[in-house]
Amino acid sequence: MGIAKYRIASKEKESKSAELLYDTQLGLNFLWSFLFFKWGLRGTSFIEMAALSDLDYIDGIRVL
């Protein structure tokens, strides 16, 4: 994750949308652990994982 953040930050062309997408994915990854393991909210963590999967798909399309 640190390497990805560095690659986004080191680009000469400002890419606010890429940084926003990265930060959103990082936040959802952080939240998922608490939803699933600490609070035992399996259904909510599944929905959150689906949202994270959608963000990954959008990010993959942007790269192409």
Side-chain angles (χ1 to χ4, degrees):
M1 295 297 289
I3 292 171
K5 182 66 173 181
Y6 171 76
R7 290 185 66 193
I8 290 171
S10 67
K11 292 193 179 257
E12 290 182 19
K13 180 180 140 188
E14 287 190 35
S15 180
K16 295 294 180 186
S17 62
E19 287 185 35
L20 177 64
L21 185 60
Y22 172 83
D23 291 340
T24 303
Q25 287 178 322
L26 186 62
L28 286 174
N29 275 324
F30 179 75
L31 178 64
W32 185 85
S33 297
F34 287 99
L35 290 173
F36 189 82
F37 294 112
K38 184 168 175 95
W39 299 316
L41 300 171
R42 307 282 193 258
T44 306
S45 65
F46 178 76
I47 293 169
E48 191 268 346
M49 190 174 17
L52 185 58
S53 176
D54 289 343
L55 283 175
D56 288 340
Y57 177 74
I58 291 168
D59 189 32
I61 290 173
R62 285 176 41 95
V63 171
L64 298 175

